[in-house]
Amino acid sequence: MKKLFTADMLAKAAIIAAVYCALTIALPMLSYGLVQIRFAEMLTVLPCYTAAAIPGLFVGCALANLIGLTFGVTGALDIFIGSAATLIAAVLTYKLRKRRLLALIPPVAVNAILVGAELTLVSDVPFYINALCVAAGEFAACYLLGYTVSLVLDKYIKKIL
C-alpha cells in the first residue's frame, strides 16, 4: 500500500507553503485587497509536478491569509474562502497536470468565482467586476509567471525533485 504522506512529501509541501507565504506577505500592497495580483500564485503550476504542492499551496495560502488580516479588506473570511479556492484549484490542476495550459485554468477560474464572491460580500463592487479583476490578476500570475516557471522546471525538474 502506498503511503499518502511520506517525509519527503511533507518536506516538499512545507517548503512550498513557506515560499507561497513569503512571496505573498513580501508584497502586501499587491497581495491583499480588492484589486490584487499575488505573485505567489505562479506556484499554482507546481501540482503539475508533485502532489505535495496541493497541501503546500493550501497551507501557504492559509498562513498568508491569516497574516494578511492586518493588510486586507476581507478579514477572516479570506482565511476560509481564499484558502479553499486555492485547495480546490490545486486539486484540479493536479488532475489536469498532463495538459499544462489547461492545468492553469483552475486557479484563474476558481479564484475568480470564489474570491470574486468573497470580495462582493465585503464591498459595494458588483460580483462581475470583482471576478474579472481577480481573474486578470490570476491570469497574469498563472499564465505569464507560472507558465514561465513551468518552462524552467521542465528543464531542471529532475535535479530539483
Side-chain angles (χ1 to χ4, degrees):
M1 184 172 142
K2 187 176 178 182
K3 288 184 179 181
L4 183 60
F5 293 107
T6 63
D8 181 63
M9 183 177 178
L10 289 174
K12 288 175 186 172
I15 291 167
I16 292 167
V19 172
Y20 184 100
C21 186
L23 283 172
T24 301
I25 64 175
L27 300 164
M29 298 306 290
L30 296 173
S31 298
Y32 304 100
L34 295 176
V35 177
Q36 59 182 265
I37 176 172
R38 281 193 179 184
F39 287 99
E41 287 292 303
M42 71 180 153
L43 300 176
T44 59
V45 72
L46 294 179
C48 292
Y49 299 96
T50 177
I54 297 169
L57 292 169
F58 172 68
V59 170
C61 182
L63 287 172
N65 290 342
L66 180 63
I67 293 166
L69 287 174
T70 59
F71 302 116
V73 297
T74 57
L77 197 58
D78 200 33
I79 297 168
F80 300 104
I81 295 175
S83 303
T86 297
L87 178 62
I88 293 165
V91 169
L92 294 173
T93 296
Y94 181 76
K95 290 184 179 288
L96 294 168
R97 67 188 177 276
K98 301 289 186 203
R99 305 193 65 185
R100 186 76 41 81
L101 289 174
L102 288 177
L104 293 174
I105 291 173
V108 176
V110 172
N111 279 289
I113 294 166
L114 293 181
V115 177
E118 172 190 345
L119 292 172
T120 300
L121 290 173
V122 298
S123 72
D124 294 329
V125 181
F127 169 75
Y128 72 93
I129 292 175
N130 284 325
L132 285 173
C133 288
V134 171
E138 284 291 320
F139 181 85
C142 295
Y143 278 95
L144 300 180
L145 299 173
Y147 188 71
T148 302
V149 166
S150 77
L151 295 176
V152 173
L153 284 175
D154 286 343
K155 188 172 181 179
Y156 297 104
I157 195 67
K158 288 188 173 55
K159 293 179 183 177
I160 297 170
L161 295 177

